[in-house]
């Protein structure tokens, strides 16, 4: 399902996302959200056990009101995925766009530990530097969860879920981009930001998430 390119501006002041999370579409304007949406309250049409009544009288009424085996339970909501936002950028500029997105997220109040950044091509300089001290030290910083963590698509499956995941499509094979987008979608609890060429992203996004 294609995404519509958007300007790389993220505003925290708006209340909540204006995207349709379950459909996987991008929002009209990129902005971070403070966290996952709260679960919808039970629908007023079927209060069920909250309505006091003698069991002998309530049982027939409830049985008639409940859907059959094939119907969804009353008040059930479909699982919601993350809001998806696209920031157009060339492969050469995708990493810079991702860095700008992270800066805007932090300025808008996101905690550094909320953010995971995944690259599809060349590693982020921070990741390359930290890996020079060994993988144990590198992943220990991930486990601490108190700062933005940068990783690349080849090892990103070791990363845990975070509220916000930013993907920089800065090169790499088409399969690597598709894998990174699919993984990022599963790791993002509230917001997924993809920085890269819209045409390339749209060509892989439909099959990856």
């Amino acid at each position: 399902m294609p995404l519509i390119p958007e300007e790389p501006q993220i505003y925290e002041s708006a209340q909540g996302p204006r995207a349709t999370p379950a459909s996987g579409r991008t929002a009209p304007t990129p902005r971070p959200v403070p966290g996952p949406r709260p679960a919808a309250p039970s629908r007023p049409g079927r209060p069920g056990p909250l309505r006091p009544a003698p069991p002998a009288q309530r049982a027939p009424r409830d049985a008639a009101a409940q859907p059959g085996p094939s119907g969804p339970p009353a008040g059930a909501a479909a699982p919601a995925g993350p809001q998806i936002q696209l920031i157009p950028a060339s492969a050469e500029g995708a990493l810079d766009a991702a860095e700008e997105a992270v800066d805007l997220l932090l300025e808008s109040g996101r905690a550094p530990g909320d953010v995971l950044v995944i690259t599809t091509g060349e590693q982020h300089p921070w990741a390359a530097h930290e890996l020079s001290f060994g993988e144990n030290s590198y992943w220990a910083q991930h486990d601490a969860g108190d700062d933005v963590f940068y990783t690349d698509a080849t090892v990103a499956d070791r990363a845990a879920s975070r509220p916000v995941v930013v993907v920089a499509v800065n090169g790499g094979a088409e399969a690597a981009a598709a894998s990174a987008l699919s993984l990022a979608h599963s790791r993002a609890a509230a917001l997924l930001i993809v920085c890269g060429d819209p045409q390339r992203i749209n060509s892989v996004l439909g099959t990856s998430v």
Side-chain angles (χ1 to χ4, degrees), residues 47-59 61-62:
L50 296 180
R51 178 185 300 171
Q57 298 178 6
R58 200 175 84 194
R61 184 169 65 249
D62 285 352

Side-chain angles (χ1 to χ4, degrees), residues 33-111:
V33 294
R37 292 181 176 179
S42 298
R43 295 178 183 174
R46 183 179 177 268
L50 296 180
R51 178 185 300 171
Q57 298 178 6
R58 200 175 84 194
R61 184 169 65 249
D62 285 352
Q66 290 176 352
S70 60
Q83 179 185 357
I84 302 176
Q85 298 173 0
L86 171 62
I87 298 178
S90 65
E92 294 77 16
L95 199 54
D96 287 339
E99 282 287 278
E100 183 178 354
V102 170
D103 288 342
L104 290 171
L105 286 164
L106 299 181
E107 289 171 8
S108 67
R110 278 285 178 188

Side-chain angles (χ1 to χ4, degrees), residues 13-161:
S13 59
Q15 296 298 316
R18 286 189 283 175
T20 304
S23 66
R25 291 183 179 177
T26 190
T29 56
R31 61 170 60 88
V33 294
R37 292 181 176 179
S42 298
R43 295 178 183 174
R46 183 179 177 268
L50 296 180
R51 178 185 300 171
Q57 298 178 6
R58 200 175 84 194
R61 184 169 65 249
D62 285 352
Q66 290 176 352
S70 60
Q83 179 185 357
I84 302 176
Q85 298 173 0
L86 171 62
I87 298 178
S90 65
E92 294 77 16
L95 199 54
D96 287 339
E99 282 287 278
E100 183 178 354
V102 170
D103 288 342
L104 290 171
L105 286 164
L106 299 181
E107 289 171 8
S108 67
R110 278 285 178 188
D114 283 354
V115 184
L116 171 68
V117 181
I118 300 175
T119 57
T120 65
E122 185 178 356
Q123 287 181 333
H124 187 279
W126 180 91
H129 174 74
E130 294 302 322
L131 280 168
S132 68
F133 298 103
E135 288 196 6
N136 290 339
S137 172
Y138 171 73
W139 287 106
Q141 296 185 64
H142 164 271
D143 295 339
D146 54 7
D147 204 352
V148 179
F149 189 77
Y150 297 84
T151 187
D152 66 81
T154 61
V155 294
D157 58 338
R158 290 184 59 179
S161 296

Side-chain angles (χ1 to χ4, degrees), residues 1-3 24 84 86 120 167-183 185 192 194-209:
M1 58 189 73
L3 296 174
I84 302 176
L86 171 62
T120 65
V167 179
V169 185
N170 62 331
E174 208 75 3
S179 175
L181 289 170
S182 179
L183 177 69
H185 187 267
L192 170 60
V194 184
C195 306
D197 177 64
Q199 187 173 10
R200 182 182 185 193
I201 293 168
N202 284 331
S203 71
V204 299
L205 196 59
T207 57
S208 64
V209 295

